[in-house]
């Protein structure tokens, strides 16, 4: 009994080394269970500890000795065993256990609640909530059924109904971290960030190893735009409870936004493995795989996600994008049209539909989709940029320029838009204006070394051959992998009778572009100048 009490106390009074403290608590509880095989309370304490840490396999092992004897008929054992089996994905076995226990102890509130958990996790939401309500009727002092009912209603967005249940959970067990965290989740849903943070910290003061409270603090940080704080909180939550699906999913999404695709895939794969029915996490896994270029894996996961979350516009849109990446254009358009129909106010869905229609050469429809995206997302750059690209592909440079100017007004620091606008000016024959745009972009971002060549071409096409030569030479130095500056330098030096420099420029062109279609012509130029190819 002393070891049991010590283990429980250690689990509640963790120091800076949280993982070490949990290991010490577990060690004491395991020792208690082993030292007195007849002490059911010790086994239940160990099983409860493991269930709280989301380790159902360890909980089941802790209960195994009790199941072999008379204690196996104790409702507390059946409750813990059912939760452990459900956590292991053995829902039918869990139901068998809890139904057998209910036959021996009809109307037991603890068992009614446990059965509710099992059936709810199996997708029978209404049946699960009905069982929780029955548990409340049998034991008005129980807090867990109120918490479960409140969380279920919170997930459906029924905030007022959720508040009633969550308040009752806290009132009946004010020192229970789970209940306080449930109420804090409600405050977070209402965007009361300060109140939510206060609640999560209170839950951690009661239970320092409460991973759900750490997850809540990470969500508060995300809502405040503190990505670093959110990442640290999620890592703490996962360290405490690696099987916490919501933490793994949130961590994967955060890493995805940070462009850590390998890390994002690992976290989301963990979430999907832990909960194969989690359609949202599987969809994000597919999106990450698509982003990483693994189209086949993305298609598989997004198809599975769409079957789990029927009617999800977001998943349908990602599935459509994956189909488009695979080259299945008609099927992609079909999926993207469905996404637009399900969520017509989404600018992103309209934009993706536009990309697919453009790929199918349905240009008029693509223009309509891009304009619809602009109307639904007037502050988004991408719809204007996409329509500009479509017009440029048709040689409608003035129309493309008009769209790019609107995009630049929305995002004046995005230099790629300025470069595209300069290209339009160049095609329209406005060489000096194009040069001014290119130079401004280059000043803003000196890493855009490809602009040296663009400036050289604009000077060349504008008739300023001496200035063009200077920019070609700069382009050859700054962007040596681009073969074209060397090409034009070769002919420029040839015209100036600088044979050695012309030969070296032509050779540099062939080195940079060994598979050039005009290789033989350039080799003849070198020979005519007295060199060897």
């Amino acid at each position: 009994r002393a070891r049991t009490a010590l283990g429980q106390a250690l689990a509640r009074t963790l120091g800076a080394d949280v993982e070490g403290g949990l290991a010490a608590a577990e060690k004491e509880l395991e020792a208690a269970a082993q030292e007195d095989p007849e002490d059911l309370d010790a086994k239940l304490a160990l099983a409860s500890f493991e269930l709280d840490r989301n380790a159902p396999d360890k909980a089941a092992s802790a209960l195994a000795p009790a199941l072999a004897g008379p204690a196996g008929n104790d409702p507390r054992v059946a409750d813990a065993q059912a939760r452990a089996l459900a956590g292991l994905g053995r829902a039918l076995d869990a139901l068998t256990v809890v139904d057998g226990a209910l036959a021996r102890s009809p109307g037991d509130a603890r068992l009614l609640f446990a059965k509710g958990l099992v059936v709810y996790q199996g997708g029978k939401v209404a049946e699960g909530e009905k069982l929780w309500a029955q548990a409340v009727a049998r034991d008005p002092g129980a807090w867990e059924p109120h918490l479960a009912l409140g969380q279920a209603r919170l997930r459906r967005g029924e905030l007022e109904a959720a508040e009633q249940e969550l308040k009752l959970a806290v009132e009946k067990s004010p020192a229970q971290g789970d209940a306080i965290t449930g109420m804090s989740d409600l405050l977070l849903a209402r965007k009361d960030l300060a109140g939510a943070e206060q609640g999560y910290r209170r839950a951690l003061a009661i239970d320092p190893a409460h991973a759900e409270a750490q997850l809540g603090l990470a969500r508060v940080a995300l809502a405040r735009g503190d990505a670093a704080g959110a990442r640290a909180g999620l890592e703490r939550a996962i360290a405490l409870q690696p099987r916490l699906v919501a933490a793994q999913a949130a961590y994967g999404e955060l890493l995805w936004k940070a462009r850590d695709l390998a890390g994002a895939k690992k976290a989301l794969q963990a979430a999907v493995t832990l909960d194969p029915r989690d359609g949202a996490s599987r969809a994000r896994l597919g999106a990450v795989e698509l982003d990483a270029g693994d189209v086949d894996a993305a298609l598989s996961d997004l198809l599975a996600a769409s079957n789990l979350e029927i009617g999800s516009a977001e998943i349908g849109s990602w599935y459509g994008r994956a189909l488009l990446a695979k080259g299945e254009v008609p099927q992609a358009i079909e999926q993207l049209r469905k996404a637009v129909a399900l969520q017509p106010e989404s600018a992103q869905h309209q934009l993706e539909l536009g990309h697919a229609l453009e790929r199918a050469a349905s240009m008029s429809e693509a223009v309509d989709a891009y304009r619809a995206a602009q109307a639904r997302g007037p502050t988004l750059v991408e719809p204007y940029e996409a329509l500009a690209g479509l017009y440029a592909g048709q040689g409608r440079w003035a129309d493309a320029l008009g769209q790019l100017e609107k995009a630049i007004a929305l995002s004046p620091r995005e230099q790629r838009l300025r470069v595209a606008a300069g290209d339009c000016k160049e095609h329209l024959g406005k060489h000096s204006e194009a040069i001014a745009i290119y130079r401004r972009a280059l000043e803003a971002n000196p890493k855009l070394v490809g602009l040296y060549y663009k400036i050289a071409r604009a000077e060349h096409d504008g008739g300023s051959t001496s200035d063009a030569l200077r920019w070609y030479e700069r382009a050859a130095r700054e962007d040596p992998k681009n073969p074209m500056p060397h090409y034009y330098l070769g002919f420029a030096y040839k015209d100036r009778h600088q044979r050695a420099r012309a030969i070296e420029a032509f050779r540099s062109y062939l080195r940079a572009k060994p598979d050039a279609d005009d290789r033989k012509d350039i080799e003849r130029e070198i020979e005519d100048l007295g060199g060897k190819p």
Side-chain angles (χ1 to χ4, degrees), residues 132-415:
W132 292 334
Q134 291 175 18
V136 169
R138 288 282 184 173
D139 182 4
W143 65 274
E144 282 188 293
H146 289 295
L147 174 61
L149 285 166
Q151 290 174 324
R153 287 163 187 173
L154 181 58
R155 280 189 284 269
R156 291 200 295 270
E158 301 170 4
L159 301 190
E160 297 301 323
E163 182 178 18
Q164 294 176 11
E165 297 294 342
L166 292 170
K167 275 186 174 180
L168 286 169
V170 175
E171 287 173 7
K172 294 177 186 302
S173 188
Q176 183 58 244
D178 285 335
I180 297 169
T181 295
M183 178 57 75
S184 302
D185 290 341
L186 173 67
L187 294 174
L188 182 57
R190 286 178 167 163
K191 303 189 186 306
D192 180 359
L193 302 185
E197 180 180 8
Q198 184 180 14
Y200 292 133
R201 294 199 183 283
R202 186 153 63 95
L204 285 170
I206 293 169
D207 179 2
H210 193 39
E212 287 83 354
Q214 291 286 6
L215 170 60
L217 287 175
R219 286 173 167 163
V220 169
L222 275 177
R224 289 173 172 161
D226 180 7
R231 179 166 183 165
L234 289 169
E235 288 172 351
R236 283 193 293 270
I238 292 169
L240 288 168
Q241 201 176 119
R243 293 176 58 85
L244 186 56
V245 174
Q248 292 282 10
Y251 190 51
E253 190 162 1
L254 187 67
L255 293 178
W256 181 25
K257 290 178 181 177
R259 306 305 300 157
D260 180 358
L261 299 185
K265 181 177 178 180
K266 181 180 178 181
L268 290 165
Q269 185 64 67
V272 169
T273 300
L274 290 167
D275 185 3
R277 296 178 58 84
D278 183 359
S281 293
R282 191 174 287 276
R284 281 166 178 73
L285 174 61
V288 169
E289 289 166 338
L290 180 61
D291 211 359
D294 191 350
V295 178
D296 290 334
L299 279 170
S300 176
D301 280 317
L302 288 165
L303 177 60
S306 66
N307 290 330
L308 289 167
E309 299 285 343
I310 297 172
S312 169
E314 181 185 3
I315 294 174
S317 179
W318 276 107
Y319 187 38
R321 287 182 241 184
L323 287 167
L324 187 63
K326 186 68 173 177
E328 305 289 347
V329 180
Q331 296 91 325
I333 292 173
E334 180 183 356
Q335 287 295 326
L336 291 166
R337 287 195 193 279
K338 288 179 181 178
V340 167
L342 287 166
Q343 200 173 11
E345 72 279 6
S346 169
Q348 190 65 42
H349 300 339
Q350 294 282 4
L351 176 63
E352 298 302 335
L353 176 59
H355 289 322
L357 290 167
E358 186 175 354
R359 178 87 167 268
S362 299
M363 297 306 183
S364 177
E365 287 186 285
V367 169
D368 291 342
Y370 290 145
R371 292 203 179 279
Q374 292 172 356
R376 287 157 177 77
T379 62
L380 296 177
V381 167
E382 291 81 4
Y384 294 99
E385 187 177 10
L387 188 51
L390 185 151
Y391 286 148
Q394 296 176 329
R396 297 167 57 181
W397 302 108
D399 292 333
L401 182 60
Q403 295 297 315
L404 287 167
E405 287 172 343
K406 292 177 182 177
I408 291 169
L410 291 169
S411 185
R413 295 184 179 181
E414 186 51 72
Q415 299 308 317

Side-chain angles (χ1 to χ4, degrees), residues 383-459:
Y384 294 99
E385 187 177 10
L387 188 51
L390 185 151
Y391 286 148
Q394 296 176 329
R396 297 167 57 181
W397 302 108
D399 292 333
L401 182 60
Q403 295 297 315
L404 287 167
E405 287 172 343
K406 292 177 182 177
I408 291 169
L410 291 169
S411 185
R413 295 184 179 181
E414 186 51 72
Q415 299 308 317
R416 80 172 183 281
L417 301 174
R418 294 191 183 279
V419 172
D423 293 343
C424 291
K425 293 279 191 181
E426 176 67 6
H427 282 286
L428 289 168
K430 299 178 179 181
H431 306 300
S432 60
E433 293 181 34
I435 291 168
I437 291 173
Y438 292 148
R439 295 189 68 164
R440 183 177 173 185
L442 190 56
E443 289 171 4
N445 185 359
K447 293 182 179 180
L448 298 174
V449 293
L451 289 176
Y452 290 112
Y453 173 67
K454 286 181 179 287
I455 295 171
R457 290 300 304 147
E459 293 282 12

